[in-house]
Amino acid sequence: MTVHGRQGSTPPDLRQVRAYGDTLDDGAVQLSFSLPVPFGEEGKEAARQLVAKMGLEEAQVYHAADLGDGYSFYIVYARCRASVDYSAISVPKVSGERMSGKEVERFIRERIGRRITVLGACTGTDAHTVGIDAIMNMKGIHGEKGLESYKELRALNLGSQVSNEELVARALAENADALLVSQVVTQKDVHKVNLTHLIDLLEAEGLRDQLVVVAGGPRVSHELALELGYDAGFGPGTTAPDVASFIAQEIVARDLVERPPLGSLSG
Amino acid sequence: MTHRNAAHSKLGIPPEIFARCRVLAQTITTPIDAFVRERTTVAIERTLLRLIGVDGADADGRPYPNIAVEHLCAQGGLGYGILRPLVHAMVSFDLTPQEACEAIAAGEVTLDLHPTDPRDAEVQALAQRLADQALQRILQTREERARRMAAAAPMKDPLLYVIVATGNIYEDAVQARTAAIQGADVIAVIRSTGQSLLDFVPYGPTTEGFGGTYATQANFRIVREALDDVGAQLGRYIMLCNYCSGLCMPEIAAMGALERLDMMLNDALYGILFRDINPQRTLIDQSFSRRINALAGVIINTGEDNYLTTDDAVEATHTVLASQFVNEALALQAGLPPEQMGLGHAMEMDPQLRHGFLYELAQAQLVREAFPQHRLKFMPPTRHMTGNTFRGLVQDALFHLLGGWTEQGILLLGMHTEAMHTPHIADRKIALETAQMILSNTAGLGDELTFRPGGVLQSRASETMDKTLALLEETAQRGLWDMLAAGRFAAVARHPEGGRGLSGVARREATYLDTIDARLRRATGTPTTEGGAA
């Protein structure tokens, strides 16, 4: 009998991490997918073969269902032998300390000494304001009040379907310190196109360096945001203090505390 | 439809309270109706053209109805209406409506806003004939639905409603067919984000869009044919739903009426609050749209469920109920019977909330009791869906349990992949399978259980009712425009002069020739407009 799994209270080898079901290194994974083939034995075999071609072993089709009109659904369990080196992983994270709302307010009073203007918007054709509202509006989310409740912030929520041009114009008019852009709709990567466009506009106007520009949304990661030219990206589970902490510290770190009125440098 | 005993309230709400809400809703909506009657919009004028058979687009993709109405506006004539000058041109040059519009597009015909020649009697007679034909086409489509439904298995409430949203109409048709086979009663084809702000309806089949594809007449027809075909195989009638909302609300209502859509999302308040469409524009458009929906036998779906996605779902439930009373009054003014009113509400409280299920139950039951004959549309959790599909399926299961228990009319089935992507083909199967199991397994639950007097459910409902009444009283006093401007619904403030589309509104001139709307008003039992040539 082959011996596998733990032989004592050995910890996992972080240089070779495999999926874990109930036995160390068993590589257990679950998949579900549909195929454009009729429900039946051939369909199940097709699902099994497909999973094998993914490099998974011991594929078991535990459930198959007829979706109608020549389509079928499968739930498959299998083993994945592949491993990753966890010890070598490095993921960019939003820098700075995460402060509470009160701490952010004190930080702004002591280190910045003036109110900060933050504009929030759901840009492009995106009409889903759930995210920007959760961060901006008084009510907030998960018991954390939104940026509107911060005395040291002037928080303006421009709402949905704001064009990038409109956002830049408002940033100038309001002499903004920071822009928060929410993108919920991500079909066909529309969010990336739209987010990139805003950065292009800001650069063309010579405003990019004078502003803290932050993206947020369910499919937005910090890494993606950096890639698109933003200062930070906030994903699901973000609350107002996360964003406020970053903006306040970034303004200090980038020496934007005594920045002249927005646009005055670019002529 | 079940005829529910409105006199018996499980929640202990006296019927006089609902009656008082209805009186207030009427007070709120009467001035809106008066306002609407005196006006028209670019969208309404384009709809008149569509109803008399104008279709298609020029080489640049500009729809002929838009070209003709823009021509009218360019001469400062929106308030004169398209019908009189267009029919005059038809009579003068012996053209069909389509030919006349194409001639305008080609610059061969200029509309005369003040025709004074003796052919006016002829113009009026032809405009009446065109109106008759337009109504006939709508009624024929309605009869076609009735014929097909009579030949199919009877449909039972709650209707199981799922969405398809691939962004490609041909893929949507595949997903719609399989959803029907899986047991769906209603298929809603989701349209592209942003279409509500387009002031024209794109032409032809479309294979692109964001979060859905465009609502076009060709797209309606493609999915209608797919559902008729699969329905015939299954011996069932499968309902088709799309949106008549946004800046082209009445045009899409007309397209839906002609292509036999069975349900349409139609809610001016939604457009005002969530799409920043000008309140005047969309309330005028809605009144006309709803008369078309009424005549076509289309069930409208209203969007109050959305209030709970921006406002607090625990504290704002009374705004949903108050808005439903207002929407009911607006729908009645347009001749929609209760069976065609899919008043919307939703289960959007945080599932971690202690007693949350009880509050949701109280609300769903309250809405049911307030609107006993209506096709209530109950919407599943979206706000607190997380990407944890296992948890999501349980949240949806609680929703399905509530929907069956409180006898909702239309259940929009939750997808366990909500908040991740538009539904995959198997997501719908899982939702339908789960919903069917729960509905059958818990059938009759509502009939068996009564609520403890003075318990959590009754107290919650009574508290919501008090707040609803107070909000309606305040709205009746201040007026709907003022309340919208003050941000009293969905916590969003909208000014009557703000938002998109106000430039497409005009007061009707004395010579405005109204044959179609007048006939619609007569056919839907809503009082006819003053003046005009009707």
Side-chain angles (χ1 to χ4, degrees), chain A residues 30 34 65-69 71 73 125 127 129-130 133 139 160-161 185 187-188 190 219, chain B residues 174 177-178 181-182 193 197 209-211 275 310-312 390 419-420 422 425-426 429 500:
Chain A
Q30 55 191 17
S34 308
D66 191 351
L67 297 176
D69 249 12
Y71 292 81
F73 174 62
T125 58
T129 59
V130 179
D133 289 346
K139 205 169 303 256
S160 70
Q161 301 184 329
V185 173
Q187 262 84 14
K188 297 174 186 160
V190 62
R219 299 280 90 76
Chain B
V174 169
R177 287 179 60 100
T178 52
I181 294 167
Q182 293 158 13
T193 293
L197 302 184
F210 302 112
R275 293 293 181 267
T310 50
D311 210 340
D312 188 282
F390 298 103
M420 295 165 58
T422 49
I425 190 168
K429 165 80 175 177
R500 298 166 168 97

mmCIF file of all heavy atoms in Angstrom, chain A residues 30 34 65-69 71 73 125 127 129-130 133 139 160-161 185 187-188 190 219, chain B residues 174 177-178 181-182 193 197 209-211 275 310-312 390 419-420 422 425-426 429 500:
data_model
loop_
_atom_site.group_PDB
_atom_site.id
_atom_site.type_symbol
_atom_site.label_atom_id
_atom_site.label_comp_id
_atom_site.label_asym_id
_atom_site.label_seq_id
_atom_site.Cartn_x
_atom_site.Cartn_y
_atom_site.Cartn_z
ATOM 1 N N GLN A 30 -12.462 20.670 -6.988
ATOM 2 C CA GLN A 30 -13.814 20.478 -7.507
ATOM 3 C C GLN A 30 -14.003 21.405 -8.680
ATOM 4 O O GLN A 30 -13.547 22.551 -8.660
ATOM 5 C CB GLN A 30 -14.841 20.744 -6.423
ATOM 6 C CG GLN A 30 -14.684 22.114 -5.782
ATOM 7 C CD GLN A 30 -15.518 22.279 -4.527
ATOM 8 O OE1 GLN A 30 -15.971 21.306 -3.945
ATOM 9 N NE2 GLN A 30 -15.722 23.503 -4.112
ATOM 10 N N SER A 34 -20.265 23.349 -18.031
ATOM 11 C CA SER A 34 -21.270 22.826 -18.964
ATOM 12 C C SER A 34 -20.588 22.544 -20.291
ATOM 13 O O SER A 34 -19.558 23.142 -20.606
ATOM 14 C CB SER A 34 -22.381 23.854 -19.171
ATOM 15 O OG SER A 34 -22.881 24.262 -17.920
ATOM 16 N N ALA A 65 -26.206 16.759 -15.522
ATOM 17 C CA ALA A 65 -27.616 17.128 -15.697
ATOM 18 C C ALA A 65 -27.846 17.611 -17.117
ATOM 19 O O ALA A 65 -26.935 18.148 -17.766
ATOM 20 C CB ALA A 65 -27.995 18.237 -14.704
ATOM 21 N N ASP A 66 -29.078 17.409 -17.564
ATOM 22 C CA ASP A 66 -29.478 17.835 -18.897
ATOM 23 C C ASP A 66 -29.877 19.305 -18.847
ATOM 24 O O ASP A 66 -30.757 19.688 -18.078
ATOM 25 C CB ASP A 66 -30.674 16.979 -19.348
ATOM 26 C CG ASP A 66 -30.986 17.170 -20.821
ATOM 27 O OD1 ASP A 66 -30.392 18.077 -21.447
ATOM 28 O OD2 ASP A 66 -31.824 16.415 -21.334
ATOM 29 N N LEU A 67 -29.230 20.131 -19.628
ATOM 30 C CA LEU A 67 -29.601 21.548 -19.668
ATOM 31 C C LEU A 67 -30.566 21.825 -20.814
ATOM 32 O O LEU A 67 -31.018 22.955 -20.979
ATOM 33 C CB LEU A 67 -28.343 22.419 -19.822
ATOM 34 C CG LEU A 67 -27.329 22.345 -18.682
ATOM 35 C CD1 LEU A 67 -26.103 23.174 -19.017
ATOM 36 C CD2 LEU A 67 -27.941 22.804 -17.369
ATOM 37 N N GLY A 68 -30.856 20.811 -21.615
ATOM 38 C CA GLY A 68 -31.787 20.981 -22.726
ATOM 39 C C GLY A 68 -31.100 21.388 -24.006
ATOM 40 O O GLY A 68 -30.001 21.979 -23.987
ATOM 41 N N ASP A 69 -31.770 21.041 -25.133
ATOM 42 C CA ASP A 69 -31.316 21.502 -26.451
ATOM 43 C C ASP A 69 -29.860 21.146 -26.770
ATOM 44 O O ASP A 69 -29.167 21.907 -27.445
ATOM 45 C CB ASP A 69 -31.464 23.029 -26.528
ATOM 46 C CG ASP A 69 -32.573 23.415 -27.504
ATOM 47 O OD1 ASP A 69 -33.341 22.517 -27.909
ATOM 48 O OD2 ASP A 69 -32.656 24.597 -27.860
ATOM 49 N N TYR A 71 -27.295 20.634 -24.510
ATOM 50 C CA TYR A 71 -26.304 21.149 -23.554
ATOM 51 C C TYR A 71 -26.388 20.339 -22.266
ATOM 52 O O TYR A 71 -27.458 19.821 -21.922
ATOM 53 C CB TYR A 71 -26.562 22.637 -23.253
ATOM 54 C CG TYR A 71 -26.292 23.525 -24.444
ATOM 55 C CD1 TYR A 71 -27.242 23.661 -25.454
ATOM 56 C CD2 TYR A 71 -25.081 24.201 -24.575
ATOM 57 C CE1 TYR A 71 -26.994 24.456 -26.565
ATOM 58 C CE2 TYR A 71 -24.828 25.000 -25.675
ATOM 59 C CZ TYR A 71 -25.794 25.125 -26.664
ATOM 60 O OH TYR A 71 -25.537 25.912 -27.749
ATOM 61 N N PHE A 73 -24.518 19.592 -18.079
ATOM 62 C CA PHE A 73 -23.807 20.184 -16.934
ATOM 63 C C PHE A 73 -23.116 19.087 -16.119
ATOM 64 O O PHE A 73 -23.664 18.000 -15.961
ATOM 65 C CB PHE A 73 -24.818 20.931 -16.064
ATOM 66 C CG PHE A 73 -24.272 21.478 -14.774
ATOM 67 C CD1 PHE A 73 -23.260 22.427 -14.780
ATOM 68 C CD2 PHE A 73 -24.765 21.043 -13.543
ATOM 69 C CE1 PHE A 73 -22.756 22.940 -13.590
ATOM 70 C CE2 PHE A 73 -24.265 21.553 -12.348
ATOM 71 C CZ PHE A 73 -23.262 22.505 -12.376
ATOM 72 N N THR A 125 -20.497 54.101 -18.986
ATOM 73 C CA THR A 125 -21.911 53.729 -19.052
ATOM 74 C C THR A 125 -22.342 53.038 -17.778
ATOM 75 O O THR A 125 -23.505 52.686 -17.621
ATOM 76 C CB THR A 125 -22.155 52.766 -20.229
ATOM 77 O OG1 THR A 125 -21.321 51.624 -20.054
ATOM 78 C CG2 THR A 125 -21.860 53.426 -21.554
ATOM 79 N N ALA A 127 -23.835 52.066 -14.508
ATOM 80 C CA ALA A 127 -24.913 52.679 -13.735
ATOM 81 C C ALA A 127 -25.030 52.073 -12.351
ATOM 82 O O ALA A 127 -25.967 52.335 -11.629
ATOM 83 C CB ALA A 127 -26.225 52.510 -14.483
ATOM 84 N N THR A 129 -24.213 52.001 -8.794
ATOM 85 C CA THR A 129 -23.614 52.904 -7.818
ATOM 86 C C THR A 129 -23.435 52.258 -6.451
ATOM 87 O O THR A 129 -23.043 52.934 -5.510
ATOM 88 C CB THR A 129 -24.469 54.169 -7.654
ATOM 89 O OG1 THR A 129 -25.772 53.756 -7.232
ATOM 90 C CG2 THR A 129 -24.582 54.949 -8.937
ATOM 91 N N VAL A 130 -23.755 50.965 -6.345
ATOM 92 C CA VAL A 130 -23.687 50.296 -5.042
ATOM 93 C C VAL A 130 -22.326 50.524 -4.377
ATOM 94 O O VAL A 130 -22.243 50.874 -3.206
ATOM 95 C CB VAL A 130 -23.935 48.778 -5.208
ATOM 96 C CG1 VAL A 130 -23.834 48.070 -3.878
ATOM 97 C CG2 VAL A 130 -25.302 48.548 -5.814
ATOM 98 N N ASP A 133 -21.492 54.360 -3.656
ATOM 99 C CA ASP A 133 -22.377 54.805 -2.582
ATOM 100 C C ASP A 133 -21.903 54.269 -1.224
ATOM 101 O O ASP A 133 -21.948 54.978 -0.221
ATOM 102 C CB ASP A 133 -23.815 54.349 -2.837
ATOM 103 C CG ASP A 133 -24.473 55.094 -3.992
ATOM 104 O OD1 ASP A 133 -23.914 56.139 -4.410
ATOM 105 O OD2 ASP A 133 -25.522 54.657 -4.478
ATOM 106 N N LYS A 139 -24.343 57.068 4.799
ATOM 107 C CA LYS A 139 -24.746 55.800 5.398
ATOM 108 C C LYS A 139 -23.623 54.750 5.426
ATOM 109 O O LYS A 139 -23.552 53.962 6.356
ATOM 110 C CB LYS A 139 -25.939 55.252 4.621
ATOM 111 C CG LYS A 139 -26.796 54.328 5.414
ATOM 112 C CD LYS A 139 -28.097 54.044 4.673
ATOM 113 C CE LYS A 139 -28.886 55.289 4.330
ATOM 114 N NZ LYS A 139 -30.039 55.536 5.151
ATOM 115 N N SER A 160 -23.857 58.066 -11.054
ATOM 116 C CA SER A 160 -23.566 57.081 -12.094
ATOM 117 C C SER A 160 -23.456 57.704 -13.476
ATOM 118 O O SER A 160 -23.907 58.816 -13.708
ATOM 119 C CB SER A 160 -24.671 56.029 -12.121
ATOM 120 O OG SER A 160 -25.849 56.590 -12.620
ATOM 121 N N GLN A 161 -22.843 56.953 -14.385
ATOM 122 C CA GLN A 161 -22.742 57.292 -15.787
ATOM 123 C C GLN A 161 -22.142 58.678 -16.011
ATOM 124 O O GLN A 161 -22.597 59.455 -16.843
ATOM 125 C CB GLN A 161 -24.114 57.138 -16.469
ATOM 126 C CG GLN A 161 -24.599 55.695 -16.326
ATOM 127 C CD GLN A 161 -25.894 55.397 -17.035
ATOM 128 O OE1 GLN A 161 -26.745 56.258 -17.172
ATOM 129 N NE2 GLN A 161 -26.039 54.167 -17.483
ATOM 130 N N VAL A 185 -19.478 47.165 -13.873
ATOM 131 C CA VAL A 185 -19.660 46.370 -15.091
ATOM 132 C C VAL A 185 -18.304 46.107 -15.734
ATOM 133 O O VAL A 185 -17.541 47.038 -15.997
ATOM 134 C CB VAL A 185 -20.592 47.091 -16.087
ATOM 135 C CG1 VAL A 185 -20.647 46.350 -17.416
ATOM 136 C CG2 VAL A 185 -21.988 47.198 -15.506
ATOM 137 N N GLN A 187 -17.958 43.474 -18.283
ATOM 138 C CA GLN A 187 -18.070 42.669 -19.496
ATOM 139 C C GLN A 187 -17.127 43.200 -20.566
ATOM 140 O O GLN A 187 -17.036 44.402 -20.789
ATOM 141 C CB GLN A 187 -19.502 42.699 -20.046
ATOM 142 C CG GLN A 187 -20.327 41.498 -19.644
ATOM 143 C CD GLN A 187 -20.931 41.698 -18.276
ATOM 144 O OE1 GLN A 187 -20.938 42.810 -17.776
ATOM 145 N NE2 GLN A 187 -21.421 40.643 -17.665
ATOM 146 N N LYS A 188 -16.457 42.266 -21.193
ATOM 147 C CA LYS A 188 -15.543 42.594 -22.283
ATOM 148 C C LYS A 188 -14.509 43.645 -21.871
ATOM 149 O O LYS A 188 -14.081 44.469 -22.670
ATOM 150 C CB LYS A 188 -16.325 43.059 -23.514
ATOM 151 C CG LYS A 188 -17.207 41.936 -24.031
ATOM 152 C CD LYS A 188 -18.114 42.316 -25.139
ATOM 153 C CE LYS A 188 -19.038 41.140 -25.441
ATOM 154 N NZ LYS A 188 -20.235 41.490 -26.146
ATOM 155 N N VAL A 190 -14.694 46.337 -20.335
ATOM 156 C CA VAL A 190 -15.046 47.744 -20.532
ATOM 157 C C VAL A 190 -14.463 48.618 -19.426
ATOM 158 O O VAL A 190 -14.104 49.773 -19.638
ATOM 159 C CB VAL A 190 -16.582 47.920 -20.645
ATOM 160 C CG1 VAL A 190 -17.273 47.488 -19.375
ATOM 161 C CG2 VAL A 190 -16.957 49.345 -20.980
ATOM 162 N N ARG A 219 -14.274 43.718 -9.381
ATOM 163 C CA ARG A 219 -13.239 43.049 -10.175
ATOM 164 C C ARG A 219 -11.953 43.876 -10.219
ATOM 165 O O ARG A 219 -11.107 43.648 -11.068
ATOM 166 C CB ARG A 219 -13.712 42.835 -11.624
ATOM 167 C CG ARG A 219 -14.928 41.979 -11.822
ATOM 168 C CD ARG A 219 -14.596 40.510 -11.763
ATOM 169 N NE ARG A 219 -14.695 40.018 -10.397
ATOM 170 C CZ ARG A 219 -15.836 39.757 -9.761
ATOM 171 N NH1 ARG A 219 -16.986 39.937 -10.342
ATOM 172 N NH2 ARG A 219 -15.842 39.318 -8.531
ATOM 173 N N VAL B 174 -30.136 30.939 -27.566
ATOM 174 C CA VAL B 174 -29.767 29.588 -27.108
ATOM 175 C C VAL B 174 -30.038 29.469 -25.607
ATOM 176 O O VAL B 174 -30.645 28.502 -25.128
ATOM 177 C CB VAL B 174 -28.266 29.313 -27.388
ATOM 178 C CG1 VAL B 174 -27.805 28.042 -26.684
ATOM 179 C CG2 VAL B 174 -28.010 29.227 -28.887
ATOM 180 N N ARG B 177 -33.821 29.393 -24.852
ATOM 181 C CA ARG B 177 -34.445 28.094 -25.152
ATOM 182 C C ARG B 177 -34.143 27.085 -24.055
ATOM 183 O O ARG B 177 -35.029 26.377 -23.584
ATOM 184 C CB ARG B 177 -33.915 27.534 -26.487
ATOM 185 C CG ARG B 177 -34.418 28.237 -27.729
ATOM 186 C CD ARG B 177 -33.790 27.588 -28.968
ATOM 187 N NE ARG B 177 -34.158 26.180 -29.041
ATOM 188 C CZ ARG B 177 -35.132 25.714 -29.817
ATOM 189 N NH1 ARG B 177 -35.804 26.520 -30.603
ATOM 190 N NH2 ARG B 177 -35.422 24.426 -29.808
ATOM 191 N N THR B 178 -32.875 27.007 -23.651
ATOM 192 C CA THR B 178 -32.520 26.013 -22.631
ATOM 193 C C THR B 178 -33.175 26.371 -21.297
ATOM 194 O O THR B 178 -33.635 25.490 -20.576
ATOM 195 C CB THR B 178 -30.991 25.892 -22.458
ATOM 196 O OG1 THR B 178 -30.434 27.186 -22.232
ATOM 197 C CG2 THR B 178 -30.346 25.300 -23.699
ATOM 198 N N ILE B 181 -36.636 25.069 -21.377
ATOM 199 C CA ILE B 181 -36.650 23.611 -21.188
ATOM 200 C C ILE B 181 -36.433 23.276 -19.713
ATOM 201 O O ILE B 181 -37.036 22.365 -19.162
ATOM 202 C CB ILE B 181 -35.566 22.950 -22.076
ATOM 203 C CG1 ILE B 181 -35.915 23.148 -23.554
ATOM 204 C CG2 ILE B 181 -35.404 21.469 -21.746
ATOM 205 C CD1 ILE B 181 -34.789 22.820 -24.524
ATOM 206 N N GLN B 182 -35.593 24.057 -19.062
ATOM 207 C CA GLN B 182 -35.297 23.820 -17.647
ATOM 208 C C GLN B 182 -36.459 24.223 -16.732
ATOM 209 O O GLN B 182 -36.410 23.987 -15.536
ATOM 210 C CB GLN B 182 -34.030 24.596 -17.248
ATOM 211 C CG GLN B 182 -32.762 24.083 -17.919
ATOM 212 C CD GLN B 182 -31.663 25.130 -17.951
ATOM 213 O OE1 GLN B 182 -31.737 26.157 -17.278
ATOM 214 N NE2 GLN B 182 -30.632 24.883 -18.751
ATOM 215 N N THR B 193 -26.016 47.924 -20.844
ATOM 216 C CA THR B 193 -25.877 49.051 -19.941
ATOM 217 C C THR B 193 -25.785 50.333 -20.762
ATOM 218 O O THR B 193 -25.027 50.382 -21.721
ATOM 219 C CB THR B 193 -24.576 48.880 -19.137
ATOM 220 O OG1 THR B 193 -24.729 47.763 -18.306
ATOM 221 C CG2 THR B 193 -24.278 50.080 -18.295
ATOM 222 N N LEU B 197 -30.032 55.630 -21.864
ATOM 223 C CA LEU B 197 -29.681 57.027 -22.119
ATOM 224 C C LEU B 197 -29.564 57.347 -23.611
ATOM 225 O O LEU B 197 -29.306 58.489 -23.987
ATOM 226 C CB LEU B 197 -28.366 57.362 -21.413
ATOM 227 C CG LEU B 197 -28.392 57.132 -19.902
ATOM 228 C CD1 LEU B 197 -27.090 57.569 -19.281
ATOM 229 C CD2 LEU B 197 -29.555 57.850 -19.253
ATOM 230 N N GLY B 209 -22.619 44.544 -26.742
ATOM 231 C CA GLY B 209 -23.228 45.300 -25.657
ATOM 232 C C GLY B 209 -22.527 44.954 -24.373
ATOM 233 O O GLY B 209 -21.718 44.037 -24.331
ATOM 234 N N PHE B 210 -22.828 45.712 -23.327
ATOM 235 C CA PHE B 210 -22.204 45.483 -22.036
ATOM 236 C C PHE B 210 -23.252 45.020 -21.040
ATOM 237 O O PHE B 210 -24.211 45.731 -20.795
ATOM 238 C CB PHE B 210 -21.515 46.756 -21.542
ATOM 239 C CG PHE B 210 -20.474 47.254 -22.501
ATOM 240 C CD1 PHE B 210 -20.663 48.436 -23.196
ATOM 241 C CD2 PHE B 210 -19.329 46.509 -22.736
ATOM 242 C CE1 PHE B 210 -19.709 48.891 -24.094
ATOM 243 C CE2 PHE B 210 -18.377 46.946 -23.632
ATOM 244 C CZ PHE B 210 -18.563 48.141 -24.311
ATOM 245 N N GLY B 211 -23.065 43.837 -20.508
ATOM 246 C CA GLY B 211 -24.021 43.308 -19.541
ATOM 247 C C GLY B 211 -25.339 42.938 -20.187
ATOM 248 O O GLY B 211 -26.326 42.701 -19.509
ATOM 249 N N ARG B 275 -31.192 56.594 -13.273
ATOM 250 C CA ARG B 275 -30.558 56.884 -14.552
ATOM 251 C C ARG B 275 -30.494 58.384 -14.816
ATOM 252 O O ARG B 275 -30.111 58.806 -15.882
ATOM 253 C CB ARG B 275 -31.300 56.187 -15.696
ATOM 254 C CG ARG B 275 -31.206 54.672 -15.658
ATOM 255 C CD ARG B 275 -29.778 54.198 -15.918
ATOM 256 N NE ARG B 275 -29.688 52.743 -15.906
ATOM 257 C CZ ARG B 275 -29.385 52.006 -14.848
ATOM 258 N NH1 ARG B 275 -29.172 52.583 -13.673
ATOM 259 N NH2 ARG B 275 -29.305 50.700 -14.924
ATOM 260 N N THR B 310 -29.744 51.131 -2.950
ATOM 261 C CA THR B 310 -29.010 52.353 -2.612
ATOM 262 C C THR B 310 -29.333 52.813 -1.195
ATOM 263 O O THR B 310 -28.481 53.350 -0.508
ATOM 264 C CB THR B 310 -29.359 53.522 -3.559
ATOM 265 O OG1 THR B 310 -30.766 53.635 -3.623
ATOM 266 C CG2 THR B 310 -28.801 53.279 -4.938
ATOM 267 N N ASP B 311 -30.587 52.615 -0.786
ATOM 268 C CA ASP B 311 -30.971 53.057 0.545
ATOM 269 C C ASP B 311 -30.853 51.860 1.493
ATOM 270 O O ASP B 311 -30.627 50.737 1.065
ATOM 271 C CB ASP B 311 -32.413 53.594 0.502
ATOM 272 C CG ASP B 311 -32.620 54.683 1.531
ATOM 273 O OD1 ASP B 311 -31.825 54.747 2.486
ATOM 274 O OD2 ASP B 311 -33.575 55.459 1.391
ATOM 275 N N ASP B 312 -31.020 52.119 2.774
ATOM 276 C CA ASP B 312 -30.897 51.041 3.745
ATOM 277 C C ASP B 312 -32.089 50.085 3.637
ATOM 278 O O ASP B 312 -33.229 50.504 3.733
ATOM 279 C CB ASP B 312 -30.836 51.645 5.147
ATOM 280 C CG ASP B 312 -30.521 50.592 6.176
ATOM 281 O OD1 ASP B 312 -31.432 49.823 6.546
ATOM 282 O OD2 ASP B 312 -29.365 50.523 6.587
ATOM 283 N N PHE B 390 -21.689 29.076 -2.627
ATOM 284 C CA PHE B 390 -22.391 28.154 -1.734
ATOM 285 C C PHE B 390 -23.324 28.937 -0.821
ATOM 286 O O PHE B 390 -24.473 28.582 -0.626
ATOM 287 C CB PHE B 390 -21.387 27.342 -0.892
ATOM 288 C CG PHE B 390 -20.491 26.493 -1.747
ATOM 289 C CD1 PHE B 390 -19.185 26.867 -2.007
ATOM 290 C CD2 PHE B 390 -20.964 25.328 -2.321
ATOM 291 C CE1 PHE B 390 -18.360 26.092 -2.797
ATOM 292 C CE2 PHE B 390 -20.147 24.543 -3.122
ATOM 293 C CZ PHE B 390 -18.845 24.923 -3.366
ATOM 294 N N ALA B 419 -23.246 38.868 -8.672
ATOM 295 C CA ALA B 419 -22.064 39.619 -8.215
ATOM 296 C C ALA B 419 -20.781 39.082 -8.836
ATOM 297 O O ALA B 419 -19.708 39.583 -8.555
ATOM 298 C CB ALA B 419 -21.907 39.632 -6.692
ATOM 299 N N MET B 420 -20.904 38.034 -9.672
ATOM 300 C CA MET B 420 -19.705 37.513 -10.330
ATOM 301 C C MET B 420 -19.755 37.773 -11.836
ATOM 302 O O MET B 420 -18.913 38.434 -12.392
ATOM 303 C CB MET B 420 -19.589 36.009 -10.082
ATOM 304 C CG MET B 420 -19.362 35.671 -8.620
ATOM 305 S SD MET B 420 -19.660 33.935 -8.276
ATOM 306 C CE MET B 420 -18.501 33.146 -9.377
ATOM 307 N N THR B 422 -22.685 37.596 -15.522
ATOM 308 C CA THR B 422 -24.055 37.363 -15.975
ATOM 309 C C THR B 422 -24.234 35.845 -16.058
ATOM 310 O O THR B 422 -23.264 35.113 -16.266
ATOM 311 C CB THR B 422 -24.302 38.040 -17.331
ATOM 312 O OG1 THR B 422 -23.248 37.688 -18.214
ATOM 313 C CG2 THR B 422 -24.352 39.544 -17.186
ATOM 314 N N ILE B 425 -25.100 29.142 -18.410
ATOM 315 C CA ILE B 425 -26.221 28.269 -18.754
ATOM 316 C C ILE B 425 -26.606 27.357 -17.582
ATOM 317 O O ILE B 425 -27.796 27.130 -17.334
ATOM 318 C CB ILE B 425 -25.892 27.477 -20.049
ATOM 319 C CG1 ILE B 425 -27.110 26.738 -20.570
ATOM 320 C CG2 ILE B 425 -24.707 26.544 -19.858
ATOM 321 C CD1 ILE B 425 -26.914 26.177 -21.982
ATOM 322 N N ALA B 426 -25.642 26.867 -16.823
ATOM 323 C CA ALA B 426 -25.949 25.949 -15.730
ATOM 324 C C ALA B 426 -26.420 26.678 -14.475
ATOM 325 O O ALA B 426 -27.107 26.092 -13.638
ATOM 326 C CB ALA B 426 -24.724 25.102 -15.406
ATOM 327 N N LYS B 429 -30.073 26.624 -14.505
ATOM 328 C CA LYS B 429 -30.584 25.279 -14.215
ATOM 329 C C LYS B 429 -30.595 25.045 -12.700
ATOM 330 O O LYS B 429 -31.572 24.563 -12.138
ATOM 331 C CB LYS B 429 -29.693 24.247 -14.916
ATOM 332 C CG LYS B 429 -29.852 22.823 -14.449
ATOM 333 C CD LYS B 429 -31.064 22.166 -15.064
ATOM 334 C CE LYS B 429 -31.116 20.683 -14.658
ATOM 335 N NZ LYS B 429 -32.324 20.064 -15.191
ATOM 336 N N ARG B 500 -31.493 64.051 -17.910
ATOM 337 C CA ARG B 500 -31.384 63.972 -19.359
ATOM 338 C C ARG B 500 -32.753 63.942 -20.036
ATOM 339 O O ARG B 500 -33.660 63.287 -19.571
ATOM 340 C CB ARG B 500 -30.628 62.704 -19.728
ATOM 341 C CG ARG B 500 -29.199 62.668 -19.203
ATOM 342 C CD ARG B 500 -28.647 61.262 -19.299
ATOM 343 N NE ARG B 500 -27.209 61.208 -19.079
ATOM 344 C CZ ARG B 500 -26.642 60.914 -17.922
ATOM 345 N NH1 ARG B 500 -27.374 60.679 -16.857
ATOM 346 N NH2 ARG B 500 -25.329 60.847 -17.809
#
